[in-house]
Amino acid sequence: MRFAVGTQDYRSIATHGGRTRRFLVFEAEAGGEPVEINRIELAEDEVLHLAGDGRPHPIDAVRVVITGSSGEGFINHMKRRGIEPVTTLETDPVQAIRDWFAGTVRTAPPPEHPHEHHDHGPENAPHECHGAPA
């Protein structure tokens, strides 16, 4: 099965999945060691926070996406794509996949600053952010 793990430096798990532009892609099965098979680098307009419109996306090839803290909007976007979203306090990508198989993921809390990290365009334009209309 394929996993995408959000990262900024290709070594540790990124803290905000919806805005992460880099992903390590692993192939892994229960009882086996995860093997990195690819890397994804998204353009600014492809970040997963914006990937809720149903268009094909590079992340669609995975079954599970693992990130650090992520809001409700990101989680809902992934579920609509048929991808299991996982947030974790773990920083090591391989260990996070092991934890997923073991059922021992230490879930990360949602971000405490849901609106100060990005722009939604015109103030009165409707949009969904972190699962709720803003």
Side-chain angles (χ1 to χ4, degrees):
M1 121 177 8
R2 289 206 174 150
F3 292 78
V5 181
T7 183
Q8 294 299 340
D9 59 8
Y10 293 114
R11 290 186 307 274
S12 60
I13 297 175
T15 58
H16 193 307
R19 301 306 280 172
T20 299
R21 294 180 53 202
R22 294 182 182 118
F23 290 85
L24 297 167
V25 179
F26 291 87
E27 187 73 39
E29 297 299 330
E33 191 65 13
V35 176
E36 182 183 338
I37 61 168
N38 197 11
R39 292 180 177 189
I40 298 172
E41 181 136 2
L42 302 175
E44 290 237 0
D45 64 343
E46 292 179 310
V47 295
L48 297 178
H49 180 77
L50 304 174
D53 62 7
R55 286 182 290 165
H57 192 275
I59 204 75
D60 291 339
V62 306
R63 180 167 170 229
V64 178
V65 64
I66 299 175
T67 65
S69 181
S70 296
E72 193 75 24
F74 166 80
I75 290 168
N76 290 335
H77 289 334
M78 293 301 95
K79 287 179 179 178
R80 282 193 295 271
R81 297 189 93 78
I83 298 170
E84 180 183 343
V86 175
T87 62
T88 182
L89 295 171
E90 178 59 56
T91 59
D92 179 88
V94 171
Q95 185 60 49
I97 295 169
R98 289 181 192 134
D99 291 349
W100 184 86
F101 279 112
T104 59
V105 173
R106 295 178 302 136
T107 304
E112 293 183 26
H113 58 280
H115 289 95
E116 62 188 345
H117 60 275
H118 57 275
D119 179 27
H120 289 289
E123 195 168 313
N124 45 349
H127 61 274
E128 180 183 312
C129 180
H130 304 278

